[in-house]
Amino acid sequence: MFVSKSKSEAVDELFQAIMLLQTEEECYRFFEDLSTIPEIKSLAQRLQVAKMLVNKETYTAISDKTGASTATISRVKSALFYGADGYKLIFQKINQD
């Protein structure tokens, strides 16, 4: 069983709220109220970096295409290989469609 390092009642409520979102528009509306635009873009960038790492693209290509720093790319790579498998989970779900 997976045990999260960020587990708390407040985080549970946040994730429960996110799971209630049903459309892309609802996601935009909620996340734009919840977060700053740069925070949203940073999360999106990390997902793109992870996708490119899975596709075996180089750090240079990833940085050029996403604008991510090598430090960000390294952090995402560490999460991909040593993290909670969240990226792997979401990529599996995306590829099921």
Side-chain angles (χ1 to χ4, degrees):
M1 181 174 154
F2 174 73
V3 178
S4 173
K5 297 173 195 148
S6 62
K7 178 87 171 134
S8 73
E9 187 175 324
V11 174
D12 286 351
E13 287 183 22
L14 170 64
F15 292 159
Q16 289 165 7
I18 291 169
M19 289 188 299
L20 293 172
L21 301 170
Q22 295 182 326
T23 66
E24 192 172 277
E25 180 184 342
E26 288 179 355
C27 288
Y28 273 100
R29 293 172 70 170
F30 179 68
F31 278 92
E32 286 185 15
D33 283 353
L34 180 67
S35 308
T36 65
I37 301 303
E39 288 169 333
I40 295 167
K41 289 185 176 190
S42 177
L43 292 171
Q45 180 188 63
R46 290 179 192 175
L47 184 61
Q48 293 306 305
V49 167
K51 184 168 54 173
M52 294 173 80
L53 284 167
V54 166
N55 290 329
K56 310 235 185 283
E57 296 197 39
T58 66
Y59 275 40
T60 302
I62 294 169
S63 182
D64 288 348
K65 290 178 186 173
T66 67
S69 69
T70 56
T72 296
I73 298 167
S74 292
R75 280 193 298 274
V76 171
K77 185 175 182 178
S78 291
L80 263 174
F81 294 102
Y82 306 110
D85 289 336
Y87 285 120
K88 291 175 188 171
L89 176 69
I90 202 63
F91 291 143
Q92 288 171 350
K93 289 181 176 285
I94 288 170
N95 290 329
Q96 286 176 358
D97 294 336

Coordinates of all heavy atoms in Angstrom, one line a residue:
M1 N 0.8 -1.2 0.0 CA 0.0 0.0 0.0 C 0.9 1.2 0.0 O 1.9 1.3 0.7 CB -0.9 0.0 1.2 CG -1.8 1.2 1.3 SD -3.0 1.0 2.6 CE -3.3 2.7 2.9
F2 N 0.5 2.2 -0.8 CA 1.3 3.5 -0.9 C 1.0 4.4 0.3 O -0.2 4.5 0.7 CB 0.9 4.2 -2.2 CG 1.5 5.5 -2.3 CD1 2.9 5.7 -2.6 CD2 0.8 6.7 -2.2 CE1 3.5 6.9 -2.7 CE2 1.3 7.9 -2.3 CZ 2.7 8.1 -2.5
V3 N 2.0 4.9 0.9 CA 1.9 5.9 2.0 C 2.5 7.2 1.5 O 3.7 7.3 1.2 CB 2.6 5.4 3.3 CG1 2.4 6.4 4.4 CG2 2.0 4.1 3.7
S4 N 1.7 8.3 1.4 CA 2.1 9.6 0.9 C 2.8 10.4 2.0 O 2.5 10.3 3.2 CB 0.9 10.4 0.5 OG 1.3 11.7 0.1
K5 N 3.9 11.1 1.6 CA 4.6 12.0 2.5 C 3.8 13.3 2.7 O 4.0 14.0 3.7 CB 5.9 12.4 1.9 CG 6.8 11.2 1.7 CD 8.1 11.6 0.9 CE 8.8 10.4 0.4 NZ 9.5 10.5 -0.8
S6 N 2.8 13.6 1.9 CA 2.0 14.8 2.0 C 0.6 14.6 2.6 O -0.2 15.5 2.6 CB 1.9 15.5 0.6 OG 1.2 14.6 -0.3
K7 N 0.4 13.4 3.1 CA -1.0 13.0 3.6 C -1.4 14.0 4.7 O -0.6 14.1 5.7 CB -0.9 11.6 4.1 CG -2.2 11.1 4.6 CD -3.1 10.6 3.6 CE -4.3 9.9 4.2 NZ -5.5 10.3 3.6
S8 N -2.5 14.5 4.6 CA -3.2 15.3 5.7 C -4.6 15.5 5.3 O -5.1 15.3 4.2 CB -2.5 16.7 5.8 OG -2.9 17.5 4.7
E9 N -5.4 15.9 6.3 CA -6.8 16.2 6.0 C -7.0 17.2 5.0 O -7.9 17.1 4.1 CB -7.5 16.6 7.4 CG -9.0 16.6 7.2 CD -9.7 16.9 8.6 OE1 -9.2 16.4 9.6 OE2 -10.7 17.7 8.6
A10 N -6.2 18.3 5.0 CA -6.4 19.4 4.1 C -6.0 18.9 2.7 O -6.7 19.3 1.7 CB -5.5 20.6 4.5
V11 N -5.0 18.1 2.5 CA -4.6 17.6 1.2 C -5.7 16.6 0.7 O -6.1 16.6 -0.5 CB -3.2 16.9 1.2 CG1 -2.9 16.3 -0.1 CG2 -2.2 18.0 1.6
D12 N -6.2 15.8 1.6 CA -7.4 14.9 1.2 C -8.5 15.7 0.7 O -9.1 15.4 -0.4 CB -7.9 14.1 2.5 CG -7.0 13.0 2.9 OD1 -6.0 12.7 2.2 OD2 -7.2 12.5 4.0
E13 N -8.9 16.8 1.3 CA -10.0 17.7 0.8 C -9.6 18.3 -0.5 O -10.5 18.4 -1.4 CB -10.3 18.8 1.9 CG -11.0 18.2 3.1 CD -11.4 19.3 4.1 OE1 -11.5 20.5 3.7 OE2 -11.5 19.0 5.3
L14 N -8.4 18.7 -0.7 CA -8.0 19.3 -2.0 C -8.2 18.2 -3.1 O -8.8 18.5 -4.1 CB -6.5 19.7 -2.0 CG -5.9 20.1 -3.3 CD1 -6.6 21.3 -3.9 CD2 -4.4 20.4 -3.2
F15 N -7.6 17.0 -2.9 CA -7.7 16.0 -3.9 C -9.2 15.5 -4.1 O -9.6 15.3 -5.3 CB -6.9 14.8 -3.5 CG -5.4 15.1 -3.6 CD1 -4.5 14.3 -2.9 CD2 -4.9 16.1 -4.3 CE1 -3.1 14.5 -2.9 CE2 -3.5 16.4 -4.3 CZ -2.6 15.6 -3.6
Q16 N -10.0 15.5 -3.1 CA -11.4 15.2 -3.3 C -12.1 16.3 -4.1 O -12.9 15.9 -5.0 CB -12.1 15.1 -1.9 CG -11.7 13.8 -1.2 CD -12.1 13.8 0.3 OE1 -12.8 14.7 0.8 NE2 -11.6 12.9 1.0
A17 N -11.7 17.5 -3.9 CA -12.3 18.6 -4.8 C -11.8 18.4 -6.2 O -12.7 18.6 -7.1 CB -11.8 20.0 -4.2
I18 N -10.6 18.1 -6.4 CA -10.1 17.9 -7.8 C -10.8 16.8 -8.5 O -11.1 16.9 -9.7 CB -8.5 17.7 -7.8 CG1 -7.8 19.0 -7.4 CG2 -8.0 17.2 -9.2 CD1 -6.3 18.9 -7.1
M19 N -11.0 15.7 -7.8 CA -11.7 14.6 -8.4 C -13.1 14.9 -8.8 O -13.7 14.1 -9.6 CB -11.6 13.4 -7.4 CG -10.2 12.8 -7.3 SD -10.1 11.2 -6.4 CE -10.6 11.7 -4.8
L20 N -13.7 15.9 -8.2 CA -15.1 16.3 -8.6 C -15.1 17.1 -9.9 O -16.2 17.2 -10.5 CB -15.7 17.2 -7.5 CG -16.0 16.5 -6.2 CD1 -16.4 17.5 -5.1 CD2 -17.0 15.4 -6.3
L21 N -14.0 17.6 -10.4 CA -14.0 18.3 -11.7 C -14.3 17.4 -12.8 O -13.7 16.3 -12.9 CB -12.7 19.0 -11.8 CG -12.3 20.0 -10.7 CD1 -10.9 20.5 -10.8 CD2 -13.3 21.2 -10.7
Q22 N -15.1 17.8 -13.7 CA -15.5 16.9 -14.8 C -15.2 17.4 -16.2 O -15.1 16.6 -17.1 CB -17.0 16.6 -14.7 CG -17.4 15.9 -13.5 CD -18.9 15.6 -13.4 OE1 -19.7 16.4 -13.9 NE2 -19.3 14.5 -12.9
T23 N -14.9 18.6 -16.4 CA -14.5 19.1 -17.7 C -13.3 20.0 -17.6 O -12.8 20.4 -16.6 CB -15.7 20.1 -18.2 OG1 -15.7 21.2 -17.4 CG2 -17.0 19.3 -18.3
E24 N -12.7 20.2 -18.8 CA -11.5 21.0 -18.9 C -11.8 22.4 -18.4 O -11.0 23.0 -17.7 CB -11.0 21.0 -20.3 CG -9.6 21.5 -20.5 CD -9.1 21.3 -21.9 OE1 -8.6 20.3 -22.2 OE2 -9.2 22.3 -22.7
E25 N -12.9 22.9 -18.8 CA -13.3 24.3 -18.3 C -13.4 24.4 -16.8 O -12.9 25.3 -16.2 CB -14.6 24.7 -18.9 CG -15.0 26.1 -18.5 CD -16.4 26.6 -19.0 OE1 -16.9 26.0 -19.9 OE2 -16.9 27.5 -18.4
E26 N -14.0 23.3 -16.2 CA -14.0 23.3 -14.7 C -12.6 23.3 -14.1 O -12.4 24.0 -13.1 CB -14.8 22.1 -14.2 CG -16.3 22.2 -14.4 CD -17.1 21.0 -14.0 OE1 -16.4 20.0 -13.5 OE2 -18.3 21.0 -14.0
C27 N -11.7 22.6 -14.7 CA -10.3 22.5 -14.2 C -9.7 23.9 -14.3 O -9.1 24.4 -13.4 CB -9.5 21.5 -15.0 SG -10.0 19.8 -14.6
Y28 N -9.8 24.5 -15.5 CA -9.3 25.9 -15.7 C -9.8 26.8 -14.6 O -9.1 27.6 -14.0 CB -9.6 26.4 -17.0 CG -8.6 26.1 -18.1 CD1 -8.8 25.0 -19.0 CD2 -7.3 26.7 -18.2 CE1 -7.9 24.7 -20.0 CE2 -6.4 26.4 -19.2 CZ -6.7 25.4 -20.0 OH -5.8 25.0 -21.0
R29 N -11.1 26.8 -14.4 CA -11.8 27.7 -13.5 C -11.3 27.5 -12.0 O -10.9 28.4 -11.3 CB -13.3 27.6 -13.6 CG -13.8 28.1 -14.9 CD -15.2 27.9 -15.1 NE -16.0 28.7 -14.2 CZ -17.3 28.8 -14.3 NH1 -18.0 28.2 -15.2 NH2 -18.0 29.6 -13.4
F30 N -11.2 26.2 -11.6 CA -10.8 25.9 -10.3 C -9.3 26.2 -10.1 O -9.0 26.9 -9.1 CB -11.1 24.4 -10.0 CG -10.7 24.0 -8.6 CD1 -11.3 24.5 -7.4 CD2 -9.6 23.1 -8.4 CE1 -10.9 24.2 -6.2 CE2 -9.2 22.8 -7.1 CZ -9.9 23.3 -6.0
F31 N -8.5 25.8 -11.0 CA -7.1 26.0 -10.8 C -6.6 27.4 -10.9 O -5.7 27.8 -10.2 CB -6.2 25.1 -11.7 CG -6.1 23.7 -11.2 CD1 -7.0 22.7 -11.5 CD2 -5.1 23.3 -10.3 CE1 -6.9 21.4 -11.1 CE2 -5.0 22.0 -9.8 CZ -5.9 21.1 -10.2
E32 N -7.3 28.2 -11.7 CA -7.0 29.6 -11.8 C -7.4 30.4 -10.5 O -6.8 31.4 -10.2 CB -7.6 30.3 -13.1 CG -6.8 29.8 -14.3 CD -7.3 30.5 -15.6 OE1 -8.0 31.5 -15.5 OE2 -6.9 30.0 -16.7
D33 N -8.4 29.9 -9.8 CA -8.7 30.5 -8.5 C -7.8 30.0 -7.4 O -7.4 30.7 -6.5 CB -10.2 30.1 -8.1 CG -11.2 31.0 -8.8 OD1 -10.8 31.9 -9.6 OD2 -12.4 30.7 -8.7
L34 N -7.4 28.7 -7.5 CA -6.6 28.1 -6.5 C -5.1 28.5 -6.6 O -4.4 28.6 -5.6 CB -6.7 26.5 -6.6 CG -5.9 25.7 -5.7 CD1 -6.5 25.8 -4.3 CD2 -6.0 24.2 -6.1
S35 N -4.6 28.6 -7.8 CA -3.2 28.8 -8.0 C -2.9 30.1 -8.9 O -3.8 30.6 -9.5 CB -2.6 27.6 -8.8 OG -2.9 26.4 -8.2
T36 N -1.6 30.4 -8.9 CA -1.3 31.5 -9.8 C -1.1 30.9 -11.2 O -0.8 29.7 -11.3 CB 0.1 32.2 -9.4 OG1 1.1 31.2 -9.5 CG2 -0.1 32.7 -8.0
I37 N -1.1 31.7 -12.2 CA -0.9 31.2 -13.6 C 0.5 30.6 -13.7 O 0.7 29.5 -14.3 CB -1.1 32.4 -14.6 CG1 -2.5 32.9 -14.5 CG2 -0.8 31.9 -16.0 CD1 -3.6 31.9 -14.7
P38 N 1.6 31.3 -13.1 CA 2.9 30.6 -13.2 C 3.0 29.2 -12.5 O 3.7 28.4 -13.0 CB 3.8 31.6 -12.5 CG 3.2 32.9 -12.7 CD 1.7 32.6 -12.6
E39 N 2.2 29.1 -11.4 CA 2.2 27.8 -10.8 C 1.6 26.7 -11.7 O 2.1 25.6 -11.8 CB 1.4 27.8 -9.4 CG 2.2 28.6 -8.3 CD 1.3 28.9 -7.1 OE1 0.1 29.0 -7.2 OE2 1.9 29.0 -6.0
I40 N 0.5 27.0 -12.3 CA -0.2 26.1 -13.2 C 0.8 25.8 -14.4 O 0.9 24.6 -14.8 CB -1.5 26.7 -13.8 CG1 -2.5 26.9 -12.6 CG2 -2.1 25.8 -14.9 CD1 -3.7 27.8 -13.0
K41 N 1.4 26.8 -14.9 CA 2.3 26.6 -16.1 C 3.5 25.7 -15.6 O 4.0 24.9 -16.4 CB 2.7 27.9 -16.7 CG 1.6 28.6 -17.4 CD 2.0 29.8 -18.1 CE 0.9 30.4 -18.9 NZ 1.2 31.4 -19.8
S42 N 4.0 25.9 -14.4 CA 5.1 25.1 -13.9 C 4.7 23.6 -13.8 O 5.5 22.7 -14.2 CB 5.5 25.6 -12.5 OG 6.5 24.8 -12.0
L43 N 3.5 23.4 -13.3 CA 3.0 22.0 -13.2 C 2.9 21.4 -14.6 O 3.3 20.2 -14.8 CB 1.7 21.9 -12.5 CG 1.7 22.3 -11.0 CD1 0.3 22.4 -10.5 CD2 2.5 21.2 -10.2
A44 N 2.3 22.1 -15.5 CA 2.2 21.6 -16.9 C 3.5 21.4 -17.5 O 3.7 20.4 -18.2 CB 1.4 22.7 -17.7
Q45 N 4.5 22.2 -17.3 CA 5.8 22.1 -17.8 C 6.4 20.8 -17.3 O 7.1 20.0 -18.0 CB 6.7 23.2 -17.4 CG 8.2 23.1 -17.9 CD 9.0 24.2 -17.3 OE1 9.2 24.3 -16.1 NE2 9.5 25.1 -18.2
R46 N 6.3 20.5 -16.0 CA 6.8 19.3 -15.4 C 6.2 18.0 -16.1 O 6.9 17.0 -16.3 CB 6.6 19.2 -13.9 CG 7.4 20.2 -13.2 CD 7.1 20.2 -11.7 NE 7.7 21.3 -11.0 CZ 7.6 21.6 -9.8 NH1 6.8 20.8 -9.0 NH2 8.1 22.7 -9.3
L47 N 4.9 18.1 -16.4 CA 4.3 16.9 -17.0 C 4.9 16.7 -18.4 O 5.1 15.6 -18.9 CB 2.8 17.1 -17.1 CG 2.0 16.0 -17.7 CD1 2.2 14.7 -16.9 CD2 0.5 16.3 -17.8
Q48 N 5.1 17.8 -19.1 CA 5.7 17.8 -20.5 C 7.1 17.2 -20.4 O 7.5 16.4 -21.2 CB 5.7 19.1 -21.2 CG 4.3 19.6 -21.5 CD 3.5 18.6 -22.3 OE1 4.0 18.2 -23.4 NE2 2.3 18.2 -21.9
V49 N 7.9 17.7 -19.4 CA 9.2 17.2 -19.2 C 9.2 15.7 -19.0 O 10.0 14.9 -19.6 CB 9.9 17.9 -18.1 CG1 11.2 17.2 -17.6 CG2 10.2 19.4 -18.4
A50 N 8.3 15.2 -18.1 CA 8.2 13.8 -17.8 C 7.9 13.0 -19.1 O 8.5 11.9 -19.3 CB 7.2 13.5 -16.7
K51 N 7.0 13.5 -19.9 CA 6.6 12.8 -21.1 C 7.8 12.7 -22.0 O 8.0 11.7 -22.6 CB 5.4 13.5 -21.8 CG 4.9 12.9 -23.0 CD 3.6 13.4 -23.5 CE 3.6 14.9 -23.7 NZ 2.4 15.4 -24.4
M52 N 8.6 13.8 -22.1 CA 9.7 13.8 -23.0 C 10.8 12.9 -22.5 O 11.5 12.2 -23.3 CB 10.2 15.2 -23.2 CG 9.2 16.1 -24.0 SD 9.6 17.8 -24.1 CE 10.8 17.7 -25.4
L53 N 11.0 12.8 -21.2 CA 12.0 11.9 -20.6 C 11.6 10.4 -20.9 O 12.5 9.6 -21.2 CB 12.1 12.1 -19.1 CG 12.9 13.4 -18.7 CD1 12.7 13.7 -17.2 CD2 14.4 13.2 -19.0
V54 N 10.3 10.1 -20.7 CA 9.8 8.8 -21.0 C 10.1 8.4 -22.5 O 10.5 7.3 -22.8 CB 8.3 8.6 -20.7 CG1 7.7 7.4 -21.3 CG2 8.1 8.7 -19.2
N55 N 10.0 9.4 -23.4 CA 10.3 9.2 -24.8 C 11.8 9.3 -25.1 O 12.2 9.4 -26.3 CB 9.5 10.2 -25.6 CG 8.0 9.9 -25.6 OD1 7.6 8.8 -25.5 ND2 7.2 11.0 -25.7
K56 N 12.6 9.4 -24.1 CA 14.1 9.3 -24.2 C 14.7 10.5 -24.9 O 15.7 10.4 -25.6 CB 14.5 8.0 -24.9 CG 13.9 6.8 -24.2 CD 15.0 5.8 -23.8 CE 14.4 4.5 -23.3 NZ 13.9 4.5 -22.0
E57 N 14.0 11.7 -24.8 CA 14.6 12.9 -25.3 C 15.7 13.4 -24.4 O 15.7 13.2 -23.2 CB 13.5 14.0 -25.5 CG 12.5 13.5 -26.6 CD 11.6 14.6 -27.1 OE1 12.1 15.7 -27.3 OE2 10.4 14.3 -27.3
T58 N 16.7 14.2 -25.0 CA 17.8 14.7 -24.3 C 17.4 15.9 -23.5 O 16.4 16.6 -23.7 CB 18.9 15.1 -25.3 OG1 18.5 16.2 -26.0 CG2 19.4 13.9 -26.2
Y59 N 18.2 16.2 -22.5 CA 18.0 17.4 -21.6 C 18.0 18.6 -22.5 O 17.2 19.5 -22.3 CB 19.1 17.5 -20.6 CG 18.9 16.7 -19.3 CD1 18.4 15.4 -19.3 CD2 19.3 17.3 -18.1 CE1 18.2 14.7 -18.1 CE2 19.1 16.6 -16.9 CZ 18.6 15.3 -16.9 OH 18.4 14.6 -15.7
T60 N 18.9 18.7 -23.5 CA 19.0 19.8 -24.3 C 17.7 20.0 -25.1 O 17.1 21.1 -25.2 CB 20.2 19.7 -25.3 OG1 21.4 19.6 -24.5 CG2 20.3 21.0 -26.2
A61 N 17.2 18.9 -25.7 CA 15.9 19.0 -26.5 C 14.8 19.4 -25.6 O 13.9 20.2 -25.9 CB 15.7 17.7 -27.2
I62 N 14.7 18.8 -24.4 CA 13.6 19.1 -23.4 C 13.7 20.5 -23.0 O 12.7 21.2 -23.0 CB 13.7 18.1 -22.2 CG1 13.5 16.7 -22.6 CG2 12.7 18.6 -21.1 CD1 13.8 15.7 -21.5
S63 N 14.9 21.0 -22.7 CA 15.0 22.4 -22.3 C 14.6 23.4 -23.4 O 13.9 24.4 -23.2 CB 16.4 22.7 -21.8 OG 16.6 24.0 -21.4
D64 N 15.0 23.1 -24.6 CA 14.7 23.9 -25.8 C 13.2 23.9 -26.0 O 12.7 25.0 -26.3 CB 15.4 23.4 -27.0 CG 16.9 23.6 -27.0 OD1 17.4 24.4 -26.2 OD2 17.6 23.1 -27.9
K65 N 12.5 22.8 -25.9 CA 11.1 22.7 -26.2 C 10.2 23.2 -25.1 O 9.1 23.7 -25.4 CB 10.7 21.3 -26.6 CG 11.3 20.8 -27.9 CD 10.9 19.4 -28.2 CE 11.6 18.9 -29.4 NZ 11.4 17.4 -29.6
T66 N 10.7 23.1 -23.8 CA 9.8 23.4 -22.7 C 10.2 24.7 -22.0 O 9.4 25.2 -21.2 CB 9.7 22.3 -21.7 OG1 11.0 22.1 -21.1 CG2 9.2 21.0 -22.3
G67 N 11.5 25.0 -22.1 CA 12.0 26.1 -21.3 C 12.4 25.7 -19.9 O 12.8 26.6 -19.1
A68 N 12.3 24.4 -19.6 CA 12.7 23.9 -18.3 C 14.2 24.0 -18.1 O 15.0 23.7 -19.0 CB 12.2 22.5 -18.1
S69 N 14.6 24.3 -16.8 CA 16.0 24.3 -16.5 C 16.5 22.8 -16.3 O 15.6 21.9 -16.1 CB 16.2 25.0 -15.2 OG 15.6 24.3 -14.1
T70 N 17.8 22.6 -16.4 CA 18.3 21.3 -16.2 C 18.0 20.8 -14.8 O 17.8 19.6 -14.5 CB 19.8 21.2 -16.4 OG1 20.5 22.2 -15.6 CG2 20.1 21.5 -17.9
A71 N 17.9 21.7 -13.8 CA 17.5 21.3 -12.4 C 16.1 20.8 -12.4 O 15.9 19.8 -11.7 CB 17.7 22.5 -11.5
T72 N 15.2 21.4 -13.1 CA 13.8 20.9 -13.1 C 13.8 19.6 -13.8 O 13.1 18.7 -13.4 CB 12.9 22.0 -13.8 OG1 12.9 23.2 -13.1 CG2 11.5 21.4 -14.0
I73 N 14.5 19.5 -14.9 CA 14.5 18.2 -15.7 C 15.0 17.1 -14.8 O 14.5 16.0 -14.7 CB 15.3 18.3 -17.0 CG1 14.7 19.4 -17.9 CG2 15.4 17.0 -17.7 CD1 15.5 19.8 -19.1
S74 N 16.1 17.4 -14.0 CA 16.7 16.4 -13.1 C 15.7 16.0 -12.0 O 15.6 14.8 -11.7 CB 18.0 16.9 -12.5 OG 19.0 17.0 -13.4
R75 N 15.0 17.0 -11.5 CA 14.0 16.6 -10.4 C 12.9 15.8 -11.0 O 12.4 14.8 -10.3 CB 13.4 17.9 -9.8 CG 14.3 18.6 -8.8 CD 13.6 19.7 -8.0 NE 13.1 20.8 -8.8 CZ 13.8 21.8 -9.2 NH1 15.0 22.0 -8.7 NH2 13.3 22.8 -9.9
V76 N 12.4 16.1 -12.2 CA 11.4 15.3 -12.8 C 11.9 13.9 -13.0 O 11.2 12.9 -12.8 CB 10.8 16.0 -14.0 CG1 9.9 15.0 -14.8 CG2 10.1 17.3 -13.7
K77 N 13.1 13.8 -13.5 CA 13.7 12.5 -13.8 C 13.8 11.6 -12.5 O 13.5 10.4 -12.5 CB 15.1 12.6 -14.4 CG 15.7 11.3 -14.9 CD 17.0 11.5 -15.6 CE 17.6 10.1 -16.0 NZ 18.8 10.3 -16.8
S78 N 14.2 12.3 -11.4 CA 14.3 11.6 -10.2 C 12.9 11.1 -9.7 O 12.7 9.9 -9.3 CB 14.8 12.5 -9.1 OG 16.2 12.7 -9.3
A79 N 11.9 11.9 -9.9 CA 10.5 11.5 -9.6 C 10.0 10.4 -10.5 O 9.3 9.4 -10.0 CB 9.5 12.7 -9.7
L80 N 10.4 10.4 -11.7 CA 10.0 9.3 -12.6 C 10.6 8.0 -12.2 O 9.9 7.0 -12.3 CB 10.5 9.6 -14.1 CG 9.6 10.3 -15.0 CD1 10.3 10.6 -16.3 CD2 8.4 9.5 -15.3
F81 N 11.8 8.0 -11.8 CA 12.5 6.7 -11.5 C 12.5 6.3 -10.0 O 12.6 5.1 -9.7 CB 13.9 6.8 -12.1 CG 13.9 6.8 -13.6 CD1 14.2 8.0 -14.2 CD2 13.7 5.7 -14.3 CE1 14.2 8.1 -15.6 CE2 13.6 5.8 -15.7 CZ 13.9 7.0 -16.3
Y82 N 12.4 7.3 -9.1 CA 12.4 7.0 -7.7 C 11.3 7.5 -6.9 O 11.3 7.4 -5.7 CB 13.7 7.5 -7.1 CG 15.0 7.1 -7.9 CD1 15.7 8.0 -8.6 CD2 15.4 5.8 -7.8 CE1 16.8 7.6 -9.3 CE2 16.5 5.4 -8.5 CZ 17.2 6.3 -9.3 OH 18.3 5.9 -10.0
G83 N 10.3 8.0 -7.6 CA 9.1 8.7 -6.9 C 8.0 7.7 -6.6 O 8.2 6.5 -6.5
A84 N 6.8 8.2 -6.5 CA 5.6 7.4 -6.1 C 4.9 6.8 -7.3 O 3.8 6.3 -7.2 CB 4.7 8.3 -5.4
D85 N 5.5 6.8 -8.5 CA 5.0 6.3 -9.7 C 3.7 7.0 -10.2 O 2.9 6.5 -11.0 CB 4.7 4.8 -9.6 CG 6.0 4.0 -9.6 OD1 7.0 4.4 -10.1 OD2 5.9 2.8 -9.0
G86 N 3.6 8.3 -9.8 CA 2.4 9.1 -10.2 C 2.5 9.4 -11.7 O 1.4 9.4 -12.4
Y87 N 3.7 9.7 -12.2 CA 3.8 10.0 -13.6 C 3.4 8.7 -14.4 O 2.7 8.8 -15.4 CB 5.2 10.4 -14.0 CG 5.5 11.9 -13.6 CD1 6.6 12.1 -12.8 CD2 4.8 12.9 -14.2 CE1 6.9 13.4 -12.4 CE2 5.2 14.2 -13.8 CZ 6.2 14.5 -13.0 OH 6.6 15.8 -12.6
K88 N 4.0 7.6 -14.0 CA 3.7 6.4 -14.7 C 2.2 6.0 -14.7 O 1.7 5.6 -15.8 CB 4.5 5.2 -14.1 CG 6.0 5.3 -14.3 CD 6.7 4.2 -13.6 CE 8.2 4.5 -13.6 NZ 9.0 3.6 -12.8
L89 N 1.6 6.3 -13.6 CA 0.1 6.0 -13.5 C -0.6 6.9 -14.5 O -1.5 6.4 -15.2 CB -0.3 6.3 -12.0 CG -1.8 6.2 -11.8 CD1 -2.2 4.7 -11.9 CD2 -2.1 6.7 -10.4
I90 N -0.3 8.2 -14.5 CA -1.1 9.0 -15.4 C -0.8 8.8 -16.8 O -1.7 8.8 -17.7 CB -0.9 10.6 -15.0 CG1 -2.1 11.4 -15.5 CG2 0.4 11.1 -15.5 CD1 -3.4 11.0 -14.9
F91 N 0.4 8.4 -17.2 CA 0.7 8.1 -18.6 C 0.0 6.8 -19.0 O -0.5 6.7 -20.1 CB 2.2 8.0 -18.8 CG 2.9 9.3 -18.7 CD1 4.2 9.4 -18.2 CD2 2.3 10.5 -19.2 CE1 4.9 10.6 -18.1 CE2 3.0 11.7 -19.1 CZ 4.2 11.8 -18.5
Q92 N -0.1 5.9 -18.1 CA -0.9 4.7 -18.4 C -2.3 5.0 -18.7 O -3.0 4.5 -19.6 CB -0.8 3.6 -17.3 CG 0.6 3.0 -17.2 CD 0.7 2.1 -15.9 OE1 -0.1 2.1 -15.0 NE2 1.8 1.3 -15.9
K93 N -2.9 5.9 -17.9 CA -4.3 6.3 -18.0 C -4.5 7.0 -19.3 O -5.5 6.8 -20.0 CB -4.8 7.1 -16.8 CG -4.9 6.2 -15.6 CD -5.4 7.0 -14.4 CE -5.7 6.2 -13.2 NZ -6.9 5.4 -13.3
I94 N -3.6 7.9 -19.6 CA -3.7 8.7 -20.8 C -3.6 7.8 -22.1 O -4.4 8.0 -23.0 CB -2.6 9.8 -20.9 CG1 -2.8 10.9 -19.9 CG2 -2.4 10.3 -22.3 CD1 -1.7 11.9 -19.7
N95 N -2.7 6.8 -22.0 CA -2.6 5.9 -23.2 C -3.7 4.9 -23.3 O -3.8 4.2 -24.4 CB -1.2 5.2 -23.1 CG -0.1 6.1 -23.3 OD1 -0.2 7.1 -24.0 ND2 1.1 5.8 -22.6
Q96 N -4.6 4.8 -22.3 CA -5.7 3.9 -22.4 C -6.8 4.5 -23.3 O -7.6 3.8 -23.8 CB -6.3 3.6 -21.0 CG -5.5 2.7 -20.2 CD -6.1 2.5 -18.8 OE1 -7.1 3.1 -18.4 NE2 -5.4 1.7 -18.0
D97 N -6.8 5.8 -23.4 CA -7.8 6.5 -24.2 C -7.5 6.4 -25.7 O -6.5 6.2 -26.2 CB -7.9 7.9 -23.9 CG -8.5 8.1 -22.4 OD1 -9.1 7.2 -22.0 OD2 -8.2 9.1 -21.8

